[in-house]
Amino acid sequence: MLFSLPLILAPALVAAHGAVTSYIIGGTTYPGYQGFSPQPNAQIIQRQWPDYNPIMTSTDPKMTCNGGTSAPLSAKVAAGQNVTAVWQQWTHQQGPVMVWLYPCENGFSSCDGKQKKWFKIDQMGLYGSAVNSNDWGTGVVYKTLKWSSKIPASLKPGFYLIRHELLALHQANTPQFYPECAQIEVTGSGTATAPANLLTSIPAYAPQSDPGIMASRDSHEKLYT
Ligand SMILES: *[C@@H]1O[C@H](CO)[C@@H](O)[C@H](O)[C@H]1NC(C)=O
Ligand SMILES: [Cu+2]
């Protein structure tokens, strides 16, 4: 039975970090990918990601949707309704949570998220006063394994990517980005679009040297705990 040992140990090696693994919208749970070795052609709304290893630079092409390029389904969301992302596991408690949208005017299959059209709809950084505390958005995800965001009530209906990003800052000068995307169809009668000055490109919404990314301090939390 010794042969089975590496298989038993294998999950522990990838147990750190985390990724969005499902979405709750209007009481319905939409499954995402569950971990490494995702099922090809799964009939889900999440863009397939290959792994949840940390992305270490803001300019990495994987920043867009953790490498995911398409999904066969989308979920309807009424403007003003919440989208709740669920993480099967999450390890780090310091750094912000950010939630972004990207309009896919011509549908999802041609929508790669690479243009300057991303806008942030929700975020939580440090909400206490001590940088080395766990009073951070990602600390909330650590405790609850969920994050709810309201789709702006006045948002113009249409197809959008929703991108959840956890930025782990527990190790000095070693930011770790964890983004995943899902496909949603916003319904309603709104007309609002994000103003041009709030649109950004992903990757590279900020330089790696940005003080919000390159936090030059160490916290008590060790990498890969
Ligand atoms: C909906 O999301 C907002 C954050 O945008 C949150 O304050 C609110 O509690 C959420 N509502 C529900 C019912 O989850
Ligand atoms: Cu990690």
Side-chain angles (χ1 to χ4, degrees):
M1 292 310 287
L2 275 176
F3 292 113
S4 63
L5 195 55
L7 291 175
I8 290 166
L9 289 177
L13 297 175
V14 295
H17 322 308
V20 177
T21 45
S22 62
Y23 301 85
I24 304 169
I25 301 170
T28 301
T29 296
Y30 295 87
Y33 290 95
Q34 296 302 312
F36 285 63
S37 306
Q39 298 297 313
N41 307 315
Q43 295 300 300
I44 60 178
I45 69 168
Q46 189 178 49
R47 293 205 157 184
Q48 178 171 357
W49 40 270
D51 59 62
Y52 48 69
N53 292 326
I55 298 167
M56 311 299 284
T57 56
S58 68
T59 52
D60 190 315
K62 276 184 80 182
M63 276 291 278
T64 312
C65 290
N66 196 15
T69 55
S70 66
L73 303 182
S74 60
K76 279 200 165 72
V77 190
Q81 199 179 20
N82 276 12
V83 172
T84 301
V86 178
W87 287 257
Q88 205 166 57
Q89 60 175 52
W90 174 246
T91 317
H92 309 298
Q93 301 192 64
Q94 289 156 347
V97 177
M98 293 167 268
V99 185
W100 307 76
L101 292 181
Y102 183 98
C104 292
E105 290 95 346
N106 300 314
F108 291 114
S109 58
S110 61
C111 187
D112 63 5
K114 297 292 185 188
Q115 293 177 44
K116 191 178 173 183
K117 292 184 186 176
W118 288 101
F119 57 98
K120 206 189 283 175
I121 59 164
D122 191 17
Q123 64 179 354
M124 182 184 278
L126 180 67
Y127 60 84
S129 51
V131 166
N132 282 359
S133 74
N134 296 330
D135 296 341
W136 285 89
T138 50
V140 174
V141 173
Y142 178 88
K143 292 178 196 82
T144 63
L145 294 176
K146 281 191 179 115
W147 191 265
S148 286
S149 308
K150 187 177 168 180
I151 301 300
S154 58
L155 187 67
K156 184 179 170 184
F159 300 124
Y160 291 86
L161 301 177
I162 185 166
R163 176 179 178 277
H164 288 84
E165 174 180 4
L166 304 182
L167 168 51
L169 297 176
H170 51 287
Q171 201 185 37
N173 300 311
T174 314
Q176 303 182 3
F177 302 89
Y178 299 89
E180 287 81 32
C181 298
Q183 299 180 168
I184 57 172
E185 183 183 353
V186 175
T187 61
S189 52
T191 55
T193 56
N197 66 322
L198 295 183
L199 298 178
T200 189
S201 300
I202 301 178
Y205 65 74
Q208 183 78 354
S209 59
D210 188 287
I213 290 177
M214 197 55 80
S216 57
R217 54 166 187 87
D218 260 313
S219 73
H220 61 272
E221 194 190 5
K222 298 264 192 308
L223 189 60
Y224 303 134
T225 51

